[in-house]
Amino acid sequence: MSCHGLFSKLFEKHGRTKENAVPRDNEIFHCGEFHCSECPLASRCSMKSEGNPPNSTLMDKKLKRVLLMGNPNVGKSAIFSRLTGLHAISSNYPGTTVGFLEGSVVINGETYKLIDVPGAYTLDPTNEAEEVALRILNEGADIVIIILDATALERNLYLALQVLEKGYPSVIVLNMIDEARHKGIQIDLKALERELGVPVVSTVALTGEGIAALKAALPKARPSFLLPMTKDERWRFIGDIVMRVQMVTHRHHTFRDRLEDISVHPLSGMFLSLLVIIASFYAVRIIGEGLINYLLDPFFNSIWGPFLNVISNVLGGSGFIHDILIGHLIDGSINWEQSFGILSTGIYVEFAMVFPYIISFYLVLSLLEDIGYLPRLAVLFDALLHKIGLHGFAIVPTLLGLGCNVPGILATRVLESERERFIAATLISVAVPCAGLQAMIFGVIGSLGLVYIAIVYASLLGVWLILGYMLNKTLSGQSPELIVEIPPYRLPSLRNLGFKLWFRISGFLLEATPLVLLGILIANLLYSSSVLPFLSNILSPLVKLLGLPPQAMGAILLGFLRKDVAVGLLLPLGLTPRQLVVATVVLAMTFPCIATFVVLFKELGLKRLIQSVLIMISISLITGIALNYLLSYLAI
């Protein structure tokens, strides 16, 4: 007898119909002779066979494994942060470039281990993220929280049904229920619960509405009575569900609706995007400079500087240890940018020159992300990015790269093909200056005038476009079309903003600080040895083509350790404005920092890393030589 027949017998035995077939809390079924080992209720049946259920872990374990699943942009991460707070760990799924978050929450003395599964539209994988989502689900779960966008119930239900058919104890979360109300969408939660056979709660993750109800529903999670269906059966069932549980009423367009339409129109949207980008970088600059001028510089000049002077006096003002820790005294005092001691330049560059811009950049980026603008930016730039072998969502890693190349390259995981990830990662490492490098560019070249800064950025932009176009034409394969869900505009949550900001800047500090200090240490050791002069002599013919003195090659070579520090090494060389611009462009385009190299190796593999490095060296030298002759011809 089929499972459908067994369920008919089961319902008759208990006097149930499909409409009231949902088992009551703590109810135990005695299926008797009709028990089926594949039955979704097997985990609740008192006569189930011995051993662990094949598709779930034991419900009575002390630490319960809970998966948060749903389509992209349904608010999974917001609900995850509401449940776990800041106690989360970011990980990569073994053997992949796809990341996910893990955290824990204690409810009524019960500890739940939460996993924020990568967003997926289907369990029939179409990309790496969906493959990882399926693998995590198949590893087992005590509870699956299936998060749906209440404004797009029909589309979200497809994944939900696939998960429910697996037989895991589940809870359905209708998130963004406030947005649904604003759009005139009313959903009968009790009716949906009857249709799916599992608890259903509504939430507004950004405000925290419904989170308490979700916590209360976790112990009530149960398997659905749904059995596996074909794709066509699933869509027919979804249509029936939506007709029975959802009602849509007429509503007039609001200002927000009109703004959403304007922001994706090819003309008005592009104009708005330029305004947003300009305003964003202006905000980054204002916030960063404010932190430097009113908080960090006063701290270093009033507190840290006098403290280092005491240490300098104790060490006698010179010597090997003094030069390593404090650096070389300039005119008898510590110079934050040129002394190059671990405790002077190392700490100052990291925390007073780079870190403020990292904070401001990630703050602005997180704000745009939470408002819902980044997907619209991806749609607008899709046509341009297709010319360089990418689709519109590559704009997100590119913008992240302007903060720090490391998270920018890590974010290329959102791109579907290896070809796209290689192009995007190479372009970011070659032509996208990180916030620290940009801070040094403004600090070193800013005094020469805006024209010279414009030349640097125009050179990098030109290389980004030309190199991308060349890679698109020479590499085999094609870029897939952009398929992205555009969420409605919404007010950001300060709590979620703080969570994202902390998560991003803490990761940067843990990664970057040791590398900056190591870079300063190695810079001191190299300058006190004969290594750099030896390399400079070997490369002197090449340096002449760039129009630079041999000493500039030392700074360029040190860019491998830390670009922003290496730019600072150009200051004591007395370069002309033309030489300074050429050296800065070449340095910006050549070796990224060690951290970026490690991430490139991790994301691309050794073979692709070598290809990327060869491209990087070739294009930077060609650009530097061409720029030198062009500026000489223009007498700049």
Side-chain angles (χ1 to χ4, degrees):
M1 183 181 292
S2 70
C3 259
H4 289 283
L6 291 176
F7 267 89
S8 297
K9 293 286 186 180
L10 179 61
F11 294 148
E12 291 172 7
K13 184 173 181 178
H14 289 270
R16 300 283 179 87
T17 63
K18 181 181 176 181
E19 284 70 22
N20 63 1
V22 180
R24 292 183 292 272
D25 295 338
N26 303 319
E27 181 174 4
I28 300 299
F29 275 92
H30 297 274
C31 303
E33 61 186 324
F34 300 112
H35 172 64
C36 171
S37 63
E38 298 301 320
C39 168
L41 293 177
S43 63
R44 293 173 59 86
C45 178
S46 63
M47 298 186 67
K48 61 181 177 285
S49 58
E50 295 182 0
N52 296 338
N55 285 331
S56 65
T57 53
L58 289 174
M59 289 289 290
D60 58 351
K61 288 198 307 182
K62 185 176 180 181
L63 187 65
K64 289 188 164 75
R65 174 180 163 99
V66 181
L67 306 183
L68 276 71
M69 299 195 67
N71 291 178
N73 297 317
V74 296
K76 283 192 303 88
S77 297
I79 290 178
F80 177 87
S81 66
R82 284 283 175 186
L83 292 173
T84 63
L86 296 177
H87 307 292
I89 300 174
S90 178
S91 306
N92 276 7
Y93 193 83
T96 74
T97 60
V98 177
F100 62 94
L101 293 176
E102 292 182 275
S104 61
V105 60
V106 178
I107 303 173
N108 296 328
E110 191 82 52
T111 302
Y112 297 87
K113 176 185 177 183
L114 271 63
I115 298 177
D116 185 5
V117 180
Y121 291 105
T122 174
L123 292 183
D124 302 314
T126 60
N127 55 49
E128 190 176 27
E130 290 178 343
E131 290 176 0
V132 170
L134 177 61
R135 289 163 66 181
I136 292 176
L137 181 64
N138 287 339
E139 288 173 0
D142 294 298
I143 300 172
V144 180
I145 300 175
I146 307 170
I147 302 170
L148 312 181
D149 180 353
T151 66
L153 181 61
E154 186 171 12
R155 174 174 46 76
N156 281 240
L157 276 173
Y158 190 85
L159 175 70
L161 292 185
Q162 286 185 306
V163 176
L164 292 176
E165 291 165 16
K166 294 278 188 178
Y168 295 102
S170 303
V171 175
I172 296 289
V173 175
L174 275 179
N175 193 33
M176 294 184 272
I177 198 69
D178 58 333
E179 298 288 345
R181 289 194 295 265
H182 295 159
K183 292 187 175 183
I185 300 173
Q186 298 179 8
I187 300 175
D188 187 335
L189 300 185
K190 292 297 182 183
L192 184 59
E193 187 169 317
R194 287 194 300 271
E195 293 290 337
L196 300 179
V198 297
V200 177
V201 297
S202 62
T203 62
V204 181
L206 292 180
T207 64
E209 177 185 336
I211 299 299
L214 172 57
K215 291 181 178 180
L218 287 183
K220 302 177 182 179
R222 57 177 174 256
S224 171
F225 51 72
L226 297 176
L227 298 173
M229 293 177 271
T230 66
K231 183 176 181 180
D232 291 339
E233 289 174 339
R234 202 173 288 125
W235 280 118
R236 282 196 296 270
F237 186 40
I238 289 172
D240 292 339
I241 292 176
V242 172
M243 287 183 62
R244 287 194 285 266
V245 307
Q246 179 176 281
M247 182 175 66
V248 181
T249 58
H250 175 72
R251 61 183 287 277
H252 295 287
H253 268 44
T254 63
F255 171 75
R256 186 171 64 175
D257 295 330
R258 296 188 179 92
L259 183 60
E260 289 176 358
D261 294 338
I262 290 172
S263 59
V264 294
H265 189 275
L267 293 179
S268 59
M270 187 59 69
F271 177 74
L272 180 61
S273 71
L274 293 177
L275 290 179
V276 169
I277 291 173
I278 292 172
S280 297
F281 280 99
Y282 183 75
V284 168
R285 178 185 172 187
I286 293 298
I287 296 172
E289 289 180 354
L291 290 172
I292 293 172
N293 295 332
Y294 298 105
L295 180 63
L296 295 168
D297 269 354
F299 168 78
F300 275 89
N301 292 329
S302 305
I303 300 176
W304 192 247
F307 172 69
L308 293 187
N309 284 330
V310 172
I311 297 178
S312 177
N313 291 332
V314 170
L315 295 175
S318 62
F320 179 77
I321 300 298
H322 180 278
D323 291 347
I324 293 295
L325 296 178
I326 307 299
H328 303 278
L329 299 180
I330 308 298
D331 296 329
S333 61
I334 297 172
N335 184 293
W336 294 122
E337 296 179 9
Q338 298 182 41
S339 289
F340 273 86
I342 293 177
L343 299 179
S344 56
T345 302
I347 299 295
Y348 184 81
V349 166
E350 175 71 5
F351 291 99
M353 296 183 69
V354 177
F355 189 53
Y357 291 100
I358 294 295
I359 293 176
S360 57
F361 181 83
Y362 281 135
L363 176 62
V364 172
L365 186 73
S366 299
L367 186 63
L368 293 176
E369 188 176 26
D370 284 2
I371 288 174
Y373 185 73
L374 286 186
R376 291 168 171 82
L377 200 63
V379 171
L380 290 170
F381 279 86
D382 186 54
L384 171 63
L385 291 172
H386 256 80
K387 301 292 185 183
I388 60 175
L390 304 170
H391 66 52
F393 243 115
I395 195 66
V396 176
T398 303
L399 290 176
L400 280 170
L402 290 169
C404 177
N405 282 181
V406 170
I409 293 172
L410 290 174
T412 59
R413 298 170 183 175
V414 303
L415 304 177
E416 297 178 14
S417 67
E418 180 188 349
R419 177 180 185 270
E420 284 182 287
R421 290 194 288 270
F422 174 74
I423 293 175
T426 301
L427 291 179
I428 289 171
S429 59
V430 172
V432 178
C434 65
L437 178 57
Q438 292 182 71
M440 294 301 294
I441 289 173
F442 276 92
V444 172
I445 300 181
S447 59
L448 302 177
L450 291 177
V451 173
Y452 293 97
I453 293 179
I455 292 173
V456 173
Y457 279 94
S459 301
L460 295 176
L461 176 60
V463 168
W464 185 76
L465 292 171
I466 295 171
L467 178 59
Y469 181 80
M470 293 171 58
L471 291 175
N472 184 35
K473 292 298 183 182
T474 55
L475 293 177
S476 60
Q478 291 182 340
S479 299
E481 293 299 320
L482 175 66
I483 301 175
V484 58
E485 178 185 351
I486 300 181
Y489 281 133
R490 56 176 73 98
L491 292 175
S493 163
L494 293 179
R495 184 179 185 277
N496 287 336
L497 273 177
F499 175 78
K500 285 185 179 180
L501 187 61
W502 168 253
F503 213 79
R504 285 168 170 167
I505 64 176
S506 60
F508 169 82
L509 283 177
L510 290 174
E511 174 188 279
T513 302
L515 291 172
V516 171
L517 299 181
L518 177 64
I520 295 294
L521 172 62
I522 295 178
N524 265 324
L525 294 176
L526 289 177
Y527 263 94
S528 60
S529 68
S530 58
V531 175
L532 285 180
F534 174 73
L535 291 176
S536 298
N537 289 332
I538 294 178
L539 299 173
S540 57
L542 185 60
V543 175
K544 290 180 180 179
L545 290 175
L546 296 171
L548 301 175
Q551 298 89 331
M553 185 53 65
I556 293 174
L557 292 174
L558 282 175
F560 176 74
L561 300 171
R562 192 76 188 179
K563 281 186 178 180
D564 42 17
V565 174
V567 172
L569 290 174
L570 298 174
L571 283 175
L573 300 181
L575 303 179
T576 65
R578 174 178 57 81
Q579 291 176 323
L580 204 53
V581 168
V582 171
T584 301
V585 169
V586 172
L587 180 58
M589 291 174 54
T590 48
F591 300 106
C593 62
I594 290 178
T596 304
F597 263 106
V598 172
V599 172
L600 280 172
F601 172 73
K602 183 179 178 183
E603 298 296 311
L604 302 180
L606 180 60
K607 179 180 177 181
R608 285 295 198 183
L609 172 63
I610 294 173
Q611 291 175 347
S612 183
V613 169
L614 293 177
I615 291 170
M616 181 188 307
I617 295 174
S618 302
I619 199 69
S620 62
L621 293 177
I622 292 171
T623 302
I625 293 170
L627 187 61
N628 176 46
Y629 283 101
L630 177 62
L631 295 180
S632 299
Y633 177 78
L634 297 175
I636 295 178

